[in-house]
Amino acid sequence: MGVLSVAVCNKMLDHILKTTPMTQPTNIYIALFDGDPEAAGAECTGATYARVQANGWSNAVTRALSNEAKLEFPEAGADWGNVNYIAIYDAITGGNLLGKDDVTQITVNSGDNLYIAIGDIDVSLAAGGIGNSWANSFLDHIFKNSPLSVPTNIYVGYATATPQDDASGLAAGEPSGNGYARKNINAWDAAAAKLADNTGAILFDACTTAPQGTITHFFISDNLTLQAVANLIFHGALDSSVVIGVGDQLNFPAGDLDIEIDGA
């Protein structure tokens, strides 16, 4: 199963959190590597070797997509060596690494005709942390399907249970009344190593009238009140639960709320 590169995860975090928009690639190319492209891996070389354009990808469903066309490399004009990684780039040479997939090693010799069958490159986002709808939109943006608009506003909320990737936990878990309201937070630090933090403190209003309960999770939405899966962007567990009683205020100091794309 293919995963997204650290660089593209950083760009998408910055895009979604309103730091720096990410332009969709003009073209996508598949490269062959001996070793991990994000580590000490080396791209194949040799007569006739070139990356193959791959602009046709399925629309993301259940947090995954794959190539829709057979991808054929030219007949090897020389030995290209071992291939154990497929890399996805936005340029015919150089460029930005979008994703990668480790494969069973083969050795490409002169005269070989290498191809990748339809559906053999699948890229996914692991369950947890990103709402299902936004996970699909995230992938579609990177792979030249539907563009993902930068949210107009970002709202942070909290809950007494996990919101779940399908947002089904919000109806029962998000407090209602008693001074609770999501906070509009549009300032986030630039992402690094698949992680972005809040630039300034996030201080919620004081609880009134009755306790809000034991808060265990946070979430990020593109809407002030809606609890639909289409609005749930990110969610996660707090490092430790917090009991919010009358007069209490939940506070995330600057840099304390980590938004991380894990399992990508």
Side-chain angles (χ1 to χ4, degrees):
M1 186 72 73
V3 297
L4 298 174
S5 70
V6 172
V8 82
C9 287
N10 291 341
K11 288 184 177 182
M12 281 307 303
L13 277 170
D14 288 343
H15 181 89
I16 293 171
L17 294 174
K18 299 175 63 65
T19 303
T20 305
M22 177 189 174
T23 302
Q24 287 185 288
T26 301
N27 290 298
I28 294 174
Y29 298 88
I30 304 302
L32 306 176
F33 268 74
D34 181 10
D36 188 342
E38 290 188 293
E43 188 169 2
C44 288
T45 59
T48 71
Y49 171 77
R51 297 177 186 176
V52 173
Q53 190 175 105
N55 285 339
W57 297 83
S58 62
N59 291 317
V61 178
T62 60
R63 311 170 72 93
L65 48 65
S66 60
N67 58 303
E68 286 192 316
K70 181 180 179 181
L71 305 172
E72 298 186 74
F73 287 84
E75 181 178 307
D79 294 345
W80 292 354
N82 294 330
V83 174
N84 42 48
Y85 270 88
I86 293 170
I88 307 168
Y89 279 90
D90 63 0
I92 188 69
T93 59
N96 300 295
L97 179 68
L98 303 179
K100 62 184 181 181
D101 194 359
D102 58 333
V103 297
T104 302
Q105 181 168 295
I106 63 171
T107 301
V108 181
N109 297 310
S110 180
D112 288 349
N113 296 97
L114 183 66
Y115 71 88
I116 300 171
I118 294 172
D120 272 7
I121 305 176
D122 45 62
V123 181
S124 66
L125 287 167
I130 306 175
N132 288 334
S133 179
W134 280 80
N136 290 335
S137 296
F138 187 112
L139 290 168
D140 282 338
H141 186 90
I142 295 166
F143 286 87
K144 288 175 55 66
N145 293 326
S146 301
L148 176 61
S149 298
V150 175
T152 302
N153 287 297
I154 297 290
Y155 298 92
V156 179
Y158 54 78
T160 58
T162 176
Q164 303 290 353
D165 289 342
D166 62 0
S168 61
L170 285 178
E174 185 178 15
S176 177
N178 297 316
Y180 171 79
R182 298 175 190 176
K183 301 300 287 186
N184 180 200
I185 306 296
N186 288 338
W188 298 83
D189 293 343
K194 298 185 180 182
L195 185 146
D197 298 315
N198 54 311
T199 301
I202 304 173
L203 179 63
F204 287 85
D205 296 337
C207 174
T208 62
T209 309
Q212 294 173 357
T214 300
I215 307 305
T216 58
H217 290 75
F218 75 91
F219 65 90
I220 291 179
S221 174
D222 68 351
N223 189 274
L224 179 60
T225 59
L226 294 180
Q227 296 177 329
V229 64
N231 305 107
L232 178 65
I233 306 176
F234 299 113
H235 65 92
L238 301 181
D239 290 338
S240 57
S241 60
V242 179
V243 176
I244 302 295
V246 174
D248 293 335
Q249 292 177 272
L250 184 63
N251 178 44
F252 294 104
D256 266 20
L257 187 58
D258 298 332
I259 309 302
E260 182 175 9
I261 299 178
D262 198 9

Short mmCIF file of all heavy atoms in Angstrom, two decimals, residues 63-110:
data_model
loop_
_atom_site.label_atom_id
_atom_site.label_comp_id
_atom_site.label_asym_id
_atom_site.label_seq_id
_atom_site.Cartn_x
_atom_site.Cartn_y
_atom_site.Cartn_z
N ARG A 63 -10.86 6.45 1.64
CA ARG A 63 -9.53 6.95 2.00
C ARG A 63 -8.41 6.39 1.13
O ARG A 63 -7.25 6.34 1.54
CB ARG A 63 -9.24 6.65 3.48
CG ARG A 63 -10.34 7.05 4.43
CD ARG A 63 -10.12 6.52 5.83
NE ARG A 63 -9.04 7.22 6.50
CZ ARG A 63 -9.21 8.27 7.29
NH1 ARG A 63 -10.41 8.76 7.51
NH2 ARG A 63 -8.18 8.84 7.87
N ALA A 64 -8.73 5.97 -0.11
CA ALA A 64 -7.71 5.40 -0.99
C ALA A 64 -8.05 5.65 -2.45
O ALA A 64 -9.21 5.83 -2.82
CB ALA A 64 -7.57 3.90 -0.74
N LEU A 65 -7.01 5.67 -3.29
CA LEU A 65 -7.18 5.73 -4.75
C LEU A 65 -6.07 4.93 -5.41
O LEU A 65 -5.10 4.52 -4.78
CB LEU A 65 -7.22 7.18 -5.24
CG LEU A 65 -6.17 8.21 -4.79
CD1 LEU A 65 -4.77 7.87 -5.27
CD2 LEU A 65 -6.55 9.60 -5.28
N SER A 66 -6.20 4.73 -6.74
CA SER A 66 -5.22 3.94 -7.46
C SER A 66 -5.14 4.39 -8.91
O SER A 66 -5.99 5.14 -9.40
CB SER A 66 -5.57 2.45 -7.40
OG SER A 66 -6.84 2.21 -7.97
N ASN A 67 -4.10 3.90 -9.63
CA ASN A 67 -3.92 4.27 -11.04
C ASN A 67 -5.00 3.62 -11.90
O ASN A 67 -5.33 2.44 -11.73
CB ASN A 67 -2.54 3.87 -11.54
CG ASN A 67 -2.24 2.38 -11.41
OD1 ASN A 67 -2.31 1.83 -10.32
ND2 ASN A 67 -1.90 1.74 -12.53
N GLU A 68 -5.54 4.39 -12.84
CA GLU A 68 -6.64 3.90 -13.68
C GLU A 68 -6.18 3.38 -15.04
O GLU A 68 -6.99 2.86 -15.80
CB GLU A 68 -7.67 5.02 -13.91
CG GLU A 68 -8.53 5.32 -12.70
CD GLU A 68 -9.71 6.19 -13.03
OE1 GLU A 68 -9.54 7.18 -13.76
OE2 GLU A 68 -10.81 5.89 -12.55
N ALA A 69 -4.90 3.53 -15.35
CA ALA A 69 -4.40 3.07 -16.64
C ALA A 69 -3.14 2.22 -16.45
O ALA A 69 -2.41 2.37 -15.48
CB ALA A 69 -4.08 4.27 -17.53
N LYS A 70 -2.92 1.33 -17.39
CA LYS A 70 -1.68 0.55 -17.41
C LYS A 70 -0.52 1.50 -17.72
O LYS A 70 -0.62 2.34 -18.62
CB LYS A 70 -1.78 -0.53 -18.48
CG LYS A 70 -0.56 -1.42 -18.60
CD LYS A 70 -0.77 -2.47 -19.70
CE LYS A 70 0.43 -3.38 -19.87
NZ LYS A 70 0.22 -4.38 -20.95
N LEU A 71 0.54 1.39 -16.97
CA LEU A 71 1.69 2.28 -17.11
C LEU A 71 2.86 1.47 -17.67
O LEU A 71 3.37 0.56 -17.01
CB LEU A 71 2.05 2.89 -15.76
CG LEU A 71 0.91 3.63 -15.05
CD1 LEU A 71 1.32 4.03 -13.64
CD2 LEU A 71 0.48 4.85 -15.86
N GLU A 72 3.28 1.81 -18.88
CA GLU A 72 4.31 1.03 -19.57
C GLU A 72 5.60 1.82 -19.71
O GLU A 72 5.62 2.93 -20.26
CB GLU A 72 3.82 0.61 -20.96
CG GLU A 72 2.59 -0.29 -20.91
CD GLU A 72 2.20 -0.81 -22.28
OE1 GLU A 72 2.89 -1.71 -22.80
OE2 GLU A 72 1.22 -0.29 -22.83
N PHE A 73 6.68 1.24 -19.21
CA PHE A 73 8.00 1.83 -19.37
C PHE A 73 8.58 1.38 -20.71
O PHE A 73 8.21 0.33 -21.23
CB PHE A 73 8.92 1.40 -18.22
CG PHE A 73 8.60 2.07 -16.92
CD1 PHE A 73 7.60 1.56 -16.08
CD2 PHE A 73 9.28 3.21 -16.52
CE1 PHE A 73 7.29 2.19 -14.89
CE2 PHE A 73 8.98 3.84 -15.31
CZ PHE A 73 7.98 3.33 -14.50
N PRO A 74 9.49 2.18 -21.27
CA PRO A 74 10.12 1.75 -22.52
C PRO A 74 10.95 0.49 -22.31
O PRO A 74 11.38 0.21 -21.18
CB PRO A 74 11.01 2.95 -22.89
CG PRO A 74 11.23 3.67 -21.62
CD PRO A 74 10.00 3.48 -20.80
N GLU A 75 11.15 -0.27 -23.36
CA GLU A 75 12.01 -1.46 -23.25
C GLU A 75 13.39 -1.04 -22.75
O GLU A 75 13.98 -0.08 -23.25
CB GLU A 75 12.13 -2.15 -24.61
CG GLU A 75 12.99 -3.39 -24.57
CD GLU A 75 13.06 -4.08 -25.92
OE1 GLU A 75 11.98 -4.37 -26.49
OE2 GLU A 75 14.18 -4.32 -26.41
N ALA A 76 13.86 -1.74 -21.75
CA ALA A 76 15.15 -1.39 -21.16
C ALA A 76 16.27 -1.54 -22.19
O ALA A 76 16.47 -2.62 -22.74
CB ALA A 76 15.42 -2.26 -19.95
N GLY A 77 16.97 -0.42 -22.44
CA GLY A 77 18.08 -0.44 -23.40
C GLY A 77 19.38 -0.87 -22.77
O GLY A 77 20.41 -0.99 -23.45
N ALA A 78 19.35 -1.07 -21.45
CA ALA A 78 20.52 -1.54 -20.69
C ALA A 78 19.98 -2.08 -19.37
O ALA A 78 18.78 -2.02 -19.10
CB ALA A 78 21.50 -0.39 -20.45
N ASP A 79 20.85 -2.64 -18.58
CA ASP A 79 20.42 -3.09 -17.26
C ASP A 79 20.08 -1.88 -16.39
O ASP A 79 20.90 -0.97 -16.22
CB ASP A 79 21.53 -3.90 -16.58
CG ASP A 79 21.82 -5.21 -17.30
OD1 ASP A 79 21.00 -5.63 -18.14
OD2 ASP A 79 22.87 -5.82 -17.02
N TRP A 80 18.85 -1.86 -15.84
CA TRP A 80 18.45 -0.76 -14.97
C TRP A 80 18.70 -1.08 -13.49
O TRP A 80 18.62 -0.20 -12.65
CB TRP A 80 16.96 -0.45 -15.16
CG TRP A 80 16.62 0.14 -16.49
CD1 TRP A 80 17.49 0.52 -17.48
CD2 TRP A 80 15.30 0.42 -16.99
NE1 TRP A 80 16.79 1.01 -18.56
CE2 TRP A 80 15.45 0.95 -18.29
CE3 TRP A 80 14.02 0.24 -16.48
CZ2 TRP A 80 14.36 1.33 -19.08
CZ3 TRP A 80 12.94 0.62 -17.24
CH2 TRP A 80 13.10 1.16 -18.53
N GLY A 81 18.95 -2.33 -13.19
CA GLY A 81 19.24 -2.73 -11.82
C GLY A 81 18.00 -3.14 -11.05
O GLY A 81 16.94 -3.44 -11.62
N ASN A 82 18.13 -3.16 -9.73
CA ASN A 82 17.05 -3.59 -8.85
C ASN A 82 15.98 -2.51 -8.72
O ASN A 82 16.28 -1.31 -8.67
CB ASN A 82 17.59 -3.92 -7.46
CG ASN A 82 18.51 -5.11 -7.47
OD1 ASN A 82 18.37 -6.02 -8.30
ND2 ASN A 82 19.47 -5.14 -6.56
N VAL A 83 14.74 -2.97 -8.62
CA VAL A 83 13.60 -2.08 -8.36
C VAL A 83 12.83 -2.64 -7.17
O VAL A 83 12.34 -3.77 -7.22
CB VAL A 83 12.67 -1.97 -9.58
CG1 VAL A 83 11.42 -1.14 -9.23
CG2 VAL A 83 13.39 -1.36 -10.76
N ASN A 84 12.75 -1.88 -6.09
CA ASN A 84 11.97 -2.30 -4.92
C ASN A 84 11.08 -1.19 -4.37
O ASN A 84 10.41 -1.37 -3.35
CB ASN A 84 12.89 -2.86 -3.83
CG ASN A 84 14.15 -2.05 -3.65
OD1 ASN A 84 14.09 -0.82 -3.55
ND2 ASN A 84 15.30 -2.71 -3.65
N TYR A 85 11.09 -0.05 -5.04
CA TYR A 85 10.18 1.06 -4.70
C TYR A 85 9.66 1.70 -5.97
O TYR A 85 10.40 1.86 -6.96
CB TYR A 85 10.89 2.14 -3.89
CG TYR A 85 10.83 1.95 -2.39
CD1 TYR A 85 11.80 1.18 -1.74
CD2 TYR A 85 9.82 2.53 -1.63
CE1 TYR A 85 11.76 1.00 -0.37
CE2 TYR A 85 9.78 2.35 -0.25
CZ TYR A 85 10.75 1.59 0.37
OH TYR A 85 10.70 1.41 1.73
N ILE A 86 8.39 2.06 -5.94
CA ILE A 86 7.79 2.92 -6.96
C ILE A 86 7.61 4.29 -6.33
O ILE A 86 7.10 4.41 -5.21
CB ILE A 86 6.44 2.37 -7.43
CG1 ILE A 86 6.65 1.05 -8.19
CG2 ILE A 86 5.70 3.38 -8.29
CD1 ILE A 86 5.35 0.32 -8.47
N ALA A 87 8.07 5.32 -7.02
CA ALA A 87 7.97 6.69 -6.49
C ALA A 87 7.06 7.51 -7.40
O ALA A 87 7.04 7.32 -8.63
CB ALA A 87 9.35 7.32 -6.40
N ILE A 88 6.34 8.43 -6.80
CA ILE A 88 5.39 9.28 -7.53
C ILE A 88 5.87 10.72 -7.43
O ILE A 88 6.03 11.25 -6.32
CB ILE A 88 3.97 9.14 -6.94
CG1 ILE A 88 3.56 7.66 -6.86
CG2 ILE A 88 2.96 9.93 -7.76
CD1 ILE A 88 2.31 7.41 -6.03
N TYR A 89 6.10 11.34 -8.58
CA TYR A 89 6.65 12.70 -8.64
C TYR A 89 5.73 13.63 -9.43
O TYR A 89 4.84 13.18 -10.16
CB TYR A 89 8.03 12.69 -9.30
CG TYR A 89 9.15 12.28 -8.39
CD1 TYR A 89 9.52 10.95 -8.27
CD2 TYR A 89 9.86 13.21 -7.64
CE1 TYR A 89 10.56 10.55 -7.43
CE2 TYR A 89 10.89 12.84 -6.80
CZ TYR A 89 11.25 11.52 -6.70
OH TYR A 89 12.27 11.14 -5.87
N ASP A 90 6.02 14.92 -9.33
CA ASP A 90 5.26 15.92 -10.09
C ASP A 90 6.07 16.50 -11.25
O ASP A 90 5.71 17.53 -11.81
CB ASP A 90 4.76 17.05 -9.18
CG ASP A 90 5.89 17.85 -8.54
OD1 ASP A 90 7.07 17.56 -8.79
OD2 ASP A 90 5.58 18.80 -7.77
N ALA A 91 7.17 15.82 -11.62
CA ALA A 91 8.00 16.29 -12.74
C ALA A 91 8.68 15.11 -13.41
O ALA A 91 8.89 14.06 -12.78
CB ALA A 91 9.05 17.30 -12.24
N ILE A 92 9.02 15.28 -14.68
CA ILE A 92 9.67 14.21 -15.45
C ILE A 92 11.08 13.94 -14.94
O ILE A 92 11.57 12.82 -15.01
CB ILE A 92 9.68 14.56 -16.96
CG1 ILE A 92 10.18 13.39 -17.80
CG2 ILE A 92 10.49 15.81 -17.23
CD1 ILE A 92 9.23 12.21 -17.83
N THR A 93 11.74 14.95 -14.41
CA THR A 93 13.02 14.78 -13.70
C THR A 93 12.99 15.70 -12.48
O THR A 93 12.33 16.74 -12.50
CB THR A 93 14.23 15.15 -14.58
OG1 THR A 93 14.11 16.52 -15.00
CG2 THR A 93 14.32 14.25 -15.80
N GLY A 94 13.72 15.34 -11.45
CA GLY A 94 13.69 16.16 -10.24
C GLY A 94 12.28 16.26 -9.69
O GLY A 94 11.57 15.27 -9.59
N GLY A 95 11.88 17.46 -9.34
CA GLY A 95 10.52 17.69 -8.86
C GLY A 95 10.31 17.29 -7.42
O GLY A 95 11.25 17.04 -6.66
N ASN A 96 9.04 17.25 -7.04
CA ASN A 96 8.65 16.95 -5.66
C ASN A 96 8.11 15.53 -5.56
O ASN A 96 7.27 15.11 -6.36
CB ASN A 96 7.57 17.93 -5.19
CG ASN A 96 8.04 19.37 -5.24
OD1 ASN A 96 8.94 19.76 -4.51
ND2 ASN A 96 7.43 20.17 -6.11
N LEU A 97 8.57 14.80 -4.56
CA LEU A 97 8.06 13.46 -4.31
C LEU A 97 6.67 13.56 -3.68
O LEU A 97 6.49 14.20 -2.65
CB LEU A 97 9.01 12.71 -3.37
CG LEU A 97 8.60 11.29 -2.99
CD1 LEU A 97 8.68 10.36 -4.19
CD2 LEU A 97 9.48 10.77 -1.85
N LEU A 98 5.69 12.93 -4.32
CA LEU A 98 4.31 12.95 -3.82
C LEU A 98 4.01 11.73 -2.96
O LEU A 98 3.28 11.82 -1.97
CB LEU A 98 3.32 13.01 -4.98
CG LEU A 98 3.47 14.17 -5.97
CD1 LEU A 98 2.43 14.06 -7.08
CD2 LEU A 98 3.36 15.51 -5.25
N GLY A 99 4.54 10.59 -3.35
CA GLY A 99 4.25 9.36 -2.62
C GLY A 99 5.20 8.26 -3.03
O GLY A 99 6.03 8.42 -3.94
N LYS A 100 5.05 7.11 -2.38
CA LYS A 100 5.94 5.98 -2.67
C LYS A 100 5.24 4.69 -2.26
O LYS A 100 4.30 4.70 -1.46
CB LYS A 100 7.25 6.13 -1.89
CG LYS A 100 7.06 6.14 -0.38
CD LYS A 100 8.35 6.39 0.37
CE LYS A 100 8.11 6.37 1.89
NZ LYS A 100 9.34 6.65 2.66
N ASP A 101 5.72 3.58 -2.83
CA ASP A 101 5.15 2.28 -2.53
C ASP A 101 6.27 1.25 -2.62
O ASP A 101 6.94 1.16 -3.66
CB ASP A 101 4.03 1.95 -3.51
CG ASP A 101 3.18 0.76 -3.07
OD1 ASP A 101 3.47 0.18 -2.01
OD2 ASP A 101 2.21 0.44 -3.79
N ASP A 102 6.52 0.51 -1.55
CA ASP A 102 7.54 -0.54 -1.63
C ASP A 102 6.94 -1.77 -2.30
O ASP A 102 5.78 -2.12 -2.07
CB ASP A 102 8.11 -0.87 -0.25
CG ASP A 102 7.06 -1.32 0.74
OD1 ASP A 102 5.89 -0.93 0.59
OD2 ASP A 102 7.41 -2.07 1.67
N VAL A 103 7.70 -2.40 -3.15
CA VAL A 103 7.23 -3.54 -3.95
C VAL A 103 8.22 -4.69 -3.82
O VAL A 103 9.37 -4.51 -3.42
CB VAL A 103 7.05 -3.14 -5.43
CG1 VAL A 103 5.99 -2.06 -5.58
CG2 VAL A 103 8.37 -2.68 -6.03
N THR A 104 7.75 -5.87 -4.16
CA THR A 104 8.65 -7.02 -4.20
C THR A 104 9.76 -6.77 -5.20
O THR A 104 9.51 -6.37 -6.34
CB THR A 104 7.88 -8.29 -4.59
OG1 THR A 104 6.83 -8.51 -3.65
CG2 THR A 104 8.81 -9.50 -4.61
N GLN A 105 10.99 -6.97 -4.79
CA GLN A 105 12.13 -6.59 -5.64
C GLN A 105 12.19 -7.41 -6.92
O GLN A 105 12.00 -8.62 -6.92
CB GLN A 105 13.43 -6.76 -4.86
CG GLN A 105 14.67 -6.37 -5.68
CD GLN A 105 15.91 -6.26 -4.84
OE1 GLN A 105 15.98 -5.39 -3.98
NE2 GLN A 105 16.89 -7.13 -5.07
N ILE A 106 12.42 -6.69 -8.00
CA ILE A 106 12.73 -7.32 -9.28
C ILE A 106 14.02 -6.71 -9.80
O ILE A 106 14.45 -5.64 -9.35
CB ILE A 106 11.60 -7.11 -10.32
CG1 ILE A 106 11.42 -5.61 -10.62
CG2 ILE A 106 10.30 -7.75 -9.85
CD1 ILE A 106 10.49 -5.35 -11.78
N THR A 107 14.65 -7.39 -10.74
CA THR A 107 15.85 -6.86 -11.40
C THR A 107 15.52 -6.64 -12.87
O THR A 107 15.07 -7.57 -13.56
CB THR A 107 17.04 -7.82 -11.27
OG1 THR A 107 17.32 -8.02 -9.88
CG2 THR A 107 18.27 -7.25 -11.94
N VAL A 108 15.68 -5.41 -13.34
CA VAL A 108 15.37 -5.06 -14.72
C VAL A 108 16.64 -5.16 -15.54
O VAL A 108 17.62 -4.44 -15.29
CB VAL A 108 14.77 -3.65 -14.83
CG1 VAL A 108 14.42 -3.33 -16.28
CG2 VAL A 108 13.53 -3.53 -13.95
N ASN A 109 16.62 -6.07 -16.50
CA ASN A 109 17.78 -6.27 -17.38
C ASN A 109 17.51 -5.73 -18.77
O ASN A 109 16.36 -5.45 -19.14
CB ASN A 109 18.11 -7.77 -17.47
CG ASN A 109 18.51 -8.36 -16.13
OD1 ASN A 109 19.37 -7.81 -15.45
ND2 ASN A 109 17.87 -9.47 -15.74
N SER A 110 18.54 -5.57 -19.55
CA SER A 110 18.41 -5.08 -20.91
C SER A 110 17.41 -5.94 -21.68
O SER A 110 17.46 -7.18 -21.62
CB SER A 110 19.77 -5.11 -21.61
OG SER A 110 19.67 -4.64 -22.93
#
